[in-house]
Amino acid sequence: MLLFRGVSFFKSAASLEDVPASVGEIAFAGRSNSGKSSAINALAGNRLAFVSKTPGRTRLINYYALGADRFIVDLPGYGYARVPDAMRAPWEKLLGGYLQGRGPLRGLALVMDVRHPLTELDQRMLRWFGPTGKPVHVLLTKADKLSREAAHAVLRRVEGEIGALAPNTSVQLFSSLKKSGLDQAAAVFRGWLDTRSPPLAANGGERIENPGQDPGSEIKTPGPKGEIGPGQNALRFKAPRSGRRSGRRPKPSKV
């Protein structure tokens, strides 16, 4: 069942002030080259989102209209390594501000390659997004790349590990090539969009009148080492560097 049949491109937003008024939307996020755009296209039944061979190409928040002020939102990929920091920082800030402060956001579809699930950056996303109280549905894409037995073994492992990391999360296998997992994903996302409750601020407060950003939230820039410090709400996805490091043991990240 194609939940997104008839969906069409609406607009691209370079800032939170540019996002449209909405009564409900589902955001798709994931590491670059995880199959995010292909998953959106499979659910829509047509070539809707641009599939790029260059990680980090998408730098805007892309809105696709479902009608009745409901949207599918394609977020910039994270985990890219070939993009200069000066180019990467602005849309990392945009990504973080949207996910934490967007009231009409009903849930997050987190796309992971079934062969490389729950990377450090995926786990960081789950820990960071969890306090919003909104659901997450993980699509383990490219399931056709593994045997049936191997794919289900990964599914069971991810389900077990994710339970402690992000309790409000469901997981499924998905293949854009074989068109498998479409009905299961559609059932989850339809339930999110059918929610009758009005959009709330991320902190559970009053309905957000400004469709872009909760006016009470402040988006701060990441710390000098790319980590999110206390009181900061900007996402910073930066792959760990290789090579020599100081002898000091790294402190565990705070949730």
Side-chain angles (χ1 to χ4, degrees):
M1 183 180 298
L2 298 176
L3 174 64
F4 303 157
R5 182 183 295 277
V7 65
S8 58
F9 176 77
F10 186 76
K11 70 177 299 185
S12 293
S15 70
L16 296 178
E17 289 73 22
D18 294 334
V19 298
S22 169
V23 299
E25 55 199 52
I26 298 171
F28 280 73
R31 282 185 56 112
S32 298
N33 204 31
S34 64
K36 175 169 58 70
S37 296
S38 295
I40 294 175
N41 291 339
L43 287 163
N46 60 56
R47 188 179 175 83
L48 185 67
F50 180 76
V51 179
S52 174
K53 295 182 180 180
T54 305
R57 184 185 181 97
T58 302
R59 304 174 190 176
L60 304 172
I61 295 179
N62 293 314
Y63 271 78
Y64 300 96
L66 287 169
D69 296 322
R70 286 174 168 80
F71 297 92
I72 299 304
V73 183
D74 186 11
L75 299 176
Y78 56 84
Y80 31 79
R82 297 181 180 179
V83 181
D85 287 347
M87 296 175 60
R88 180 167 51 196
W91 79 86
E92 283 178 340
K93 183 176 180 179
L94 177 64
L95 175 61
Y98 169 85
L99 286 173
Q100 189 168 49
R102 181 64 169 163
L105 178 60
R106 298 301 187 188
L108 175 66
L110 187 56
V111 180
M112 304 180 193
D113 188 327
V114 70
R115 299 166 297 178
H116 312 287
L118 282 179
T119 65
E120 179 184 349
L121 296 179
D122 294 327
Q123 294 179 48
R124 188 180 302 176
M125 167 66 87
L126 287 167
R127 287 193 298 266
W128 182 88
F129 187 71
T132 67
K134 298 177 181 180
V136 178
H137 188 61
V138 174
L139 298 179
L140 295 175
T141 58
K142 307 183 184 181
D144 55 282
K145 301 294 184 181
L146 300 179
S147 68
R148 179 181 176 86
E149 293 75 14
H152 279 83
V154 173
L155 174 63
R156 290 191 295 270
R157 176 172 64 83
V158 171
E159 287 177 331
E161 294 178 1
I162 217 167
L165 183 65
N168 197 23
T169 301
S170 51
V171 189
Q172 72 161 95
L173 295 172
F174 191 90
S175 172
S176 302
L177 180 64
K178 300 295 184 180
K179 302 298 188 292
S180 62
L182 294 179
D183 288 350
Q184 183 179 353
V188 173
F189 299 146
R190 182 180 296 105
W192 291 357
L193 289 175
D194 285 347
T195 301
R196 304 300 181 188
S197 58
L200 297 178
N203 60 3
E206 298 180 355
R207 180 171 180 168
I208 299 176
E209 298 299 333
N210 182 341
Q213 180 186 347
D214 177 0
S217 66
E218 177 186 2
I219 301 177
K220 299 182 179 180
T221 56
K225 295 184 178 180
E227 299 299 329
I228 303 174
Q232 290 182 303
N233 59 14
L235 273 182
R236 178 67 169 174
F237 290 112
K238 192 171 184 179
R241 296 179 178 177
S242 58
R244 295 188 60 185
R245 301 172 63 101
S246 64
R248 181 181 300 175
R249 293 178 63 85
K251 296 181 180 179
S253 60
K254 296 181 179 179
V255 178

